[in-house]
Amino acid sequence: MAELSDKIRIKDIAELAGVSKGTVDRVIHNRGEVSEASRKKVEKVLQEMNYKPNVYASALASKKRYHFLCILPEHGADDYWAQVEAGIKKQMAELRDLNVTVDLHYYDQYDVYACRELYEKVPGMQPDAVLMAPLFKDSSEKLARKLEEQHIPFVFVDSQVEGVEPLAYYGMHSFKSGHLAAKLLFHEHPEIESAVMFHAVRRGETGANQTVQRKAGFMEYIRCHRPGCVLHSVGLHWNNKEENDRILTRFFEEHPEVKAGVTFNSRVFMIADYLQRNASREFRLLGYDLLGQNVTFLKSGEIEYLIAQRPEIQGYRGVKALADHLIFKQEVSAVNYMPMDILTDENMEFYLNFPSI
Amino acid sequence: MAELSDKIRIKDIAELAGVSKGTVDRVIHNRGEVSEASRKKVEKVLQEMNYKPNVYASALASKKRYHFLCILPEHGADDYWAQVEAGIKKQMAELRDLNVTVDLHYYDQYDVYACRELYEKVPGMQPDAVLMAPLFKDSSEKLARKLEEQHIPFVFVDSQVEGVEPLAYYGMHSFKSGHLAAKLLFHEHPEIESAVMFHAVRRGETGANQTVQRKAGFMEYIRCHRPGCVLHSVGLHWNNKEENDRILTRFFEEHPEVKAGVTFNSRVFMIADYLQRNASREFRLLGYDLLGQNVTFLKSGEIEYLIAQRPEIQGYRGVKALADHLIFKQEVSAVNYMPMDILTDENMEFYLNFPSI
DNA sequence: GTTATTTCCGTGTTCGGGCACGAAAATAGT
DNA sequence: ACTATTTTCGTGCCCGAACACGGAAATAAC
């Protein structure tokens, strides 16, 4: 076995095998027109020399062009999805000189019809690969099937869709993260006998895939460890503060005994904000994701814990998986659960601007 | 401003500026022999076109050779340092085609004299850049000064040395991590009125840099939030199980009231192992780093929490910082505190084999 | 045995940037 | 004004891999 530092070139392989570099190239890329005898010889030498192509030279010489598509929910600048997008863009920059272009498309995550409309257009765009956040389960499955038919590889980020096997998934183990949420809230707090779960009201298809799983994990913990605990569920409207205020005020008036709450999406700051403005009572609140707004309330104490999941890495690695598969012909691992980061006011600052890639 | 996808080559810049590509190249690399007038023209076009060199072509054409040195403590396969090394090796692989070779050297972290002996040899090796884990404060500072003299860039991983400014630091904010450790142990546990801190006995120079800081942070928390708490300190010997057993047995006999303990290094499993074999009492134990052995005891409950710090990323990014500085002439950020990951039996599994890079 | 096909393989150009070399232009020296 | 020296700059080859092209060898067709 040759040393790693040997710098063996395709020309060296050719000489050792007694053929020309053209032939070696044909063997490496499996593009035929090689006699059995030559192929054997070359493969033997490749093996022995542990040949690794120079990725730089390879990228430079290759004339192939690739076009990737990324489909995300619309989002503001300080948002969970903005972080995913930042990761995507970082990977885009690294792929630029590999002749890969990446297009981003967005849908309204609170409106399944808008999502479907976008999905319809995807096959027509003839992408070489697709990254998507399959918030809406059924619609996403439909698109996935169509991509499978056309042999277009795709990856999921953020949430999975049961029964569909993307090239790769990057995201949390949603169910277990719900379990962890419950444990953080209830463990060593026997005094808590009821809790409230806040969720977003959506148009069309039922709740987002991801949050459904988290909720299930949460309830599983309750069932096993706090069977007597009463769980409430409250639906809130995205971007309608007045309406939410009314709903929350009413809920807390009717249920003064509730001392703990959780949101299964990243908008826990909405609740925290309400609590800060209206309630002086003790309340243990937990939510997801390291948004700027959530950080504020983690610092000020309205939020007890956040569970975070490295959205930037999801975007970065998701796109990278497509490139690894298509361009570098590497195996990519199919299921990649992100670490579930537990954030408190103590350790939060070190997550804030850490460029995790 | 030109589009990102425009694919502007050095030749294009040359034509736009009315010079040859040689001149553009001289401007880009600041290697003189260019008239003021030409330089201005070229710089203007570079700016306007937002030129980014093709890194692949650049790497391919460059004939420079680089030699990096990495200095770590000796370690076993399932060790904190093995994870740092894994990160280093990952980055090494990516640098291979950039003509960078990386040599690893090890010292005995329990013997300052061994460390110094290795350090002495470093300047003679004529490295282009150095990565080191400065466990021993004084000796490391001395080496750092020598490298500064020779204008050899160096990065620290794992711990900092006050007064020395490496090109970059990758590691925890040790002090704050000690603070966090105390909070995890004491917060919401008013019943704990005393605790024990375990530390390693070293030959020569006083305790490792890193652990001293952690301990300070820990004690700061106690001073502020639990002024009445009694703190004990117990020294243990690396690799001498019998001796440690005697020490621990004696300690616990003399101090049956101590119900909480912490180690500021990664070898908390030694305590956990002792507890599992000898004690059936309630004991809250906290330590650092995601070693296989620690995981076992986190699962079985002997360890309550681990604080982890992404050692793989430290190695990976540390070497990358050297390459970014030397080869890509990029700014690298000097102080990079790793996120302080809180691990429990609930979320631990997702940290285990997550390739965090 | 000759020609037509097919199979196989070597040569040469290309990608974008680095850099050596030597020529041209500008300046200095006499 | 003419040469010597320095400054400035353009040309051309190289890096390693991809791939087109066309020629040689092998096989088939007659």
Side-chain angles (χ1 to χ4, degrees):
Chain A
M1 194 73 90
E3 282 295 305
L4 281 175
S5 57
D6 264 358
K7 293 244 144 219
I8 299 152
R9 299 157 302 167
I10 211 167
K11 199 179 151 207
D12 301 320
I13 301 290
E15 277 166 16
L16 286 167
V19 297
S20 77
K21 70 199 179 82
T23 302
V24 176
D25 186 70
R26 278 183 282 266
V27 172
I28 289 173
H29 295 95
N30 244 321
R31 44 191 179 85
E33 310 196 353
V34 178
S35 68
E36 190 64 11
S38 302
R39 203 177 52 73
K40 282 260 170 66
K41 271 190 300 182
V42 171
E43 272 171 354
K44 183 154 168 280
V45 178
L46 282 173
Q47 185 78 33
E48 276 172 4
M49 292 289 109
N50 187 29
Y51 172 74
K52 299 261 189 303
N54 182 323
V55 284
Y56 300 111
S58 173
L60 185 60
S62 176
K63 284 181 179 50
K64 280 213 199 76
R65 298 285 175 276
Y66 297 93
H67 181 222
F68 293 2
L69 221 57
C70 297
I71 306 174
L72 298 180
E74 289 164 9
H75 57 264
D78 173 38
D79 196 340
Y80 172 77
W81 294 105
Q83 298 178 41
V84 176
E85 187 170 321
I88 290 175
K89 293 210 162 140
K90 228 172 234 182
Q91 180 62 225
M92 272 172 66
E94 290 181 24
L95 293 178
R96 193 184 58 111
D97 290 334
L98 290 174
N99 303 322
V100 178
T101 55
V102 183
D103 273 347
L104 288 153
H105 292 269
Y106 307 94
Y107 62 87
D108 180 347
Q109 65 171 304
Y110 301 101
D111 184 351
V112 70
Y113 305 108
C115 175
R116 274 184 214 161
E117 203 179 314
L118 175 58
Y119 279 5
E120 299 273 326
K121 290 191 236 153
V122 168
M125 300 187 204
Q126 305 262 5
D128 295 302
V130 175
L131 173 147
M132 57 198 279
L135 292 211
F136 294 107
K137 193 164 163 286
D138 296 341
S139 311
S140 301
E141 176 168 356
K142 211 173 136 198
L143 175 57
R145 296 292 175 220
K146 216 173 277 171
L147 293 172
E148 274 172 359
E149 262 175 41
Q150 302 189 30
H151 300 102
I152 298 173
F154 58 93
V155 316
F156 286 160
V157 296
D158 187 65
S159 50
Q160 286 171 297
V161 175
E162 223 173 310
V164 179
E165 289 192 5
L167 175 68
Y169 165 66
Y170 288 90
M172 269 198 186
H173 191 302
S174 307
F175 184 90
K176 294 206 183 178
S177 84
H179 205 267
L180 173 62
K183 177 157 178 186
L184 289 172
L185 220 45
F186 288 91
H187 188 56
E188 312 197 32
H189 286 271
E191 77 279 8
I192 298 180
E193 288 166 344
S194 63
V196 51
M197 304 177 293
F198 302 101
H199 65 266
V201 175
R202 279 184 155 76
R203 182 160 167 257
E205 219 165 315
T206 54
N209 208 353
Q210 164 84 285
T211 56
V212 171
Q213 297 295 319
R214 289 176 181 171
K215 189 169 174 175
F218 188 86
M219 294 176 73
E220 152 102 356
Y221 180 93
I222 305 290
R223 196 160 47 75
C224 294
H225 299 88
R226 292 295 178 83
C229 184
V230 179
L231 285 181
H232 303 270
S233 193
V234 170
L236 295 173
H237 299 268
W238 173 235
N239 256 344
N240 189 339
K241 200 169 175 176
E242 293 70 31
E243 173 70 4
N244 288 341
D245 271 15
R246 271 192 295 277
I247 294 172
L248 289 169
T249 301
R250 189 156 149 218
F251 175 80
F252 283 121
E253 277 174 13
E254 284 177 9
H255 302 281
E257 80 287 359
V258 175
K259 295 274 195 299
V262 61
T263 73
F264 295 115
N265 55 48
S266 64
R267 284 172 299 285
V268 60
F269 61 85
M270 300 194 331
I271 317 293
D273 180 55
Y274 175 88
L275 289 173
Q276 196 177 56
R277 284 182 290 115
N278 294 284
S280 57
R281 60 221 287 271
E282 277 295 299
F283 193 85
R284 283 174 68 82
L285 181 61
L286 185 147
Y288 282 79
D289 302 324
L290 189 65
L291 310 191
Q293 288 164 291
N294 289 345
V295 164
T296 311
F297 292 111
L298 195 58
K299 264 186 201 149
S300 67
E302 264 75 26
I303 298 176
E304 184 91 12
Y305 287 110
L306 285 174
I307 298 178
Q309 53 174 327
R310 312 191 192 182
E312 209 181 349
I313 291 198
Q314 291 183 38
Y316 181 88
R317 296 279 300 269
V319 178
K320 190 169 184 328
L322 293 171
D324 284 347
H325 173 73
L326 269 183
I327 304 176
F328 296 111
K329 315 284 180 206
Q330 284 177 15
E331 281 288 315
V332 309
S333 82
V335 179
N336 305 274
Y337 290 121
M338 310 306 292
M340 304 189 298
D341 295 324
I342 300 172
L343 306 194
T344 75
D345 58 336
E346 286 283 328
N347 68 341
M348 159 208 75
E349 66 176 299
F350 300 112
Y351 285 83
L352 262 180
N353 288 314
F354 186 74
S356 45
I357 296 164
Chain B
M1 192 72 94
E3 282 294 305
L4 280 173
S5 54
D6 264 359
K7 292 243 148 222
I8 299 153
R9 299 156 302 166
I10 211 165
K11 201 180 148 207
D12 302 318
I13 301 289
E15 278 167 15
L16 287 167
V19 297
S20 75
K21 72 194 183 88
T23 302
V24 176
D25 187 69
R26 277 182 283 265
V27 171
I28 290 173
H29 295 94
N30 243 321
R31 45 189 179 87
E33 309 196 357
V34 178
S35 69
E36 190 65 9
S38 303
R39 201 176 54 71
K40 283 259 172 68
K41 272 191 297 181
V42 170
E43 272 172 356
K44 184 155 166 278
V45 177
L46 282 174
Q47 187 78 32
E48 276 171 6
M49 292 289 109
N50 188 27
Y51 173 73
K52 298 263 187 304
N54 183 323
V55 286
Y56 300 111
S58 171
L60 184 60
S62 176
K63 285 182 176 50
K64 281 213 198 74
R65 298 284 177 277
Y66 297 93
H67 181 224
F68 293 1
L69 220 59
C70 296
I71 307 173
L72 297 180
E74 289 165 8
H75 56 263
D78 173 38
D79 197 339
Y80 172 77
W81 294 105
Q83 297 178 41
V84 176
E85 186 171 321
I88 290 174
K89 293 208 163 140
K90 230 173 230 181
Q91 181 60 228
M92 272 171 66
E94 291 182 20
L95 291 177
R96 192 184 58 112
D97 289 335
L98 290 175
N99 303 320
V100 178
T101 54
V102 183
D103 272 349
L104 288 152
H105 292 269
Y106 308 93
Y107 62 87
D108 180 346
Q109 63 171 305
Y110 302 100
D111 185 351
V112 70
Y113 306 108
C115 175
R116 275 183 211 162
E117 202 179 318
L118 174 58
Y119 279 5
E120 301 272 324
K121 289 191 237 155
V122 168
M125 299 186 202
Q126 306 262 4
D128 295 300
V130 175
L131 175 146
M132 57 196 280
L135 290 212
F136 295 108
K137 194 165 162 288
D138 296 339
S139 310
S140 301
E141 175 169 356
K142 209 172 138 199
L143 175 56
R145 297 292 173 218
K146 216 172 277 172
L147 294 173
E148 274 171 0
E149 261 174 44
Q150 302 189 27
H151 300 104
I152 297 173
F154 57 94
V155 314
F156 286 161
V157 296
D158 188 64
S159 50
Q160 286 170 298
V161 175
E162 222 172 310
V164 178
E165 288 191 7
L167 175 69
Y169 165 65
Y170 287 90
M172 269 197 189
H173 191 302
S174 308
F175 184 89
K176 294 206 182 179
S177 84
H179 206 266
L180 174 62
K183 178 159 178 184
L184 289 171
L185 219 46
F186 287 91
H187 188 56
E188 312 198 31
H189 286 271
E191 78 279 7
I192 299 181
E193 288 164 346
S194 63
V196 51
M197 303 175 295
F198 302 101
H199 65 267
V201 175
R202 283 183 152 77
R203 183 162 165 256
E205 219 163 318
T206 53
N209 210 351
Q210 164 84 284
T211 55
V212 171
Q213 297 295 319
R214 289 176 181 170
K215 190 169 175 176
F218 188 86
M219 293 176 74
E220 151 102 355
Y221 180 94
I222 305 289
R223 197 158 46 74
C224 295
H225 299 88
R226 293 295 177 84
C229 184
V230 179
L231 286 181
H232 303 269
S233 192
V234 170
L236 296 172
H237 300 267
W238 173 235
N239 257 345
N240 190 339
K241 198 168 174 173
E242 291 71 31
E243 174 70 3
N244 289 339
D245 271 13
R246 270 192 296 278
I247 295 172
L248 289 169
T249 301
R250 189 156 149 221
F251 175 81
F252 283 120
E253 276 173 14
E254 286 177 7
H255 301 281
E257 79 288 359
V258 175
K259 295 274 196 301
V262 61
T263 74
F264 296 115
N265 56 49
S266 64
R267 285 173 299 286
V268 59
F269 61 86
M270 299 193 332
I271 317 293
D273 180 56
Y274 174 86
L275 288 174
Q276 193 178 58
R277 283 181 288 113
N278 295 284
S280 55
R281 60 221 286 273
E282 276 296 298
F283 193 84
R284 283 174 69 82
L285 180 62
L286 184 147
Y288 281 79
D289 301 325
L290 189 66
L291 309 191
Q293 286 165 289
N294 289 346
V295 165
T296 312
F297 292 111
L298 196 57
K299 264 187 202 148
S300 66
E302 265 75 25
I303 298 176
E304 184 90 12
Y305 287 109
L306 286 174
I307 298 179
Q309 53 174 327
R310 312 194 191 179
E312 209 180 351
I313 290 199
Q314 291 184 37
Y316 180 88
R317 296 277 301 268
V319 178
K320 190 168 184 326
L322 293 170
D324 284 347
H325 173 74
L326 270 183
I327 304 176
F328 295 111
K329 315 286 181 203
Q330 285 176 16
E331 281 289 313
V332 310
S333 80
V335 179
N336 305 274
Y337 291 122
M338 311 306 293
M340 304 189 298
D341 295 324
I342 302 172
L343 306 193
T344 74
D345 59 335
E346 284 283 327
N347 68 343
M348 161 206 74
E349 66 176 297
F350 300 112
Y351 285 81
L352 263 178
N353 287 313
F354 185 74
S356 46
I357 296 165

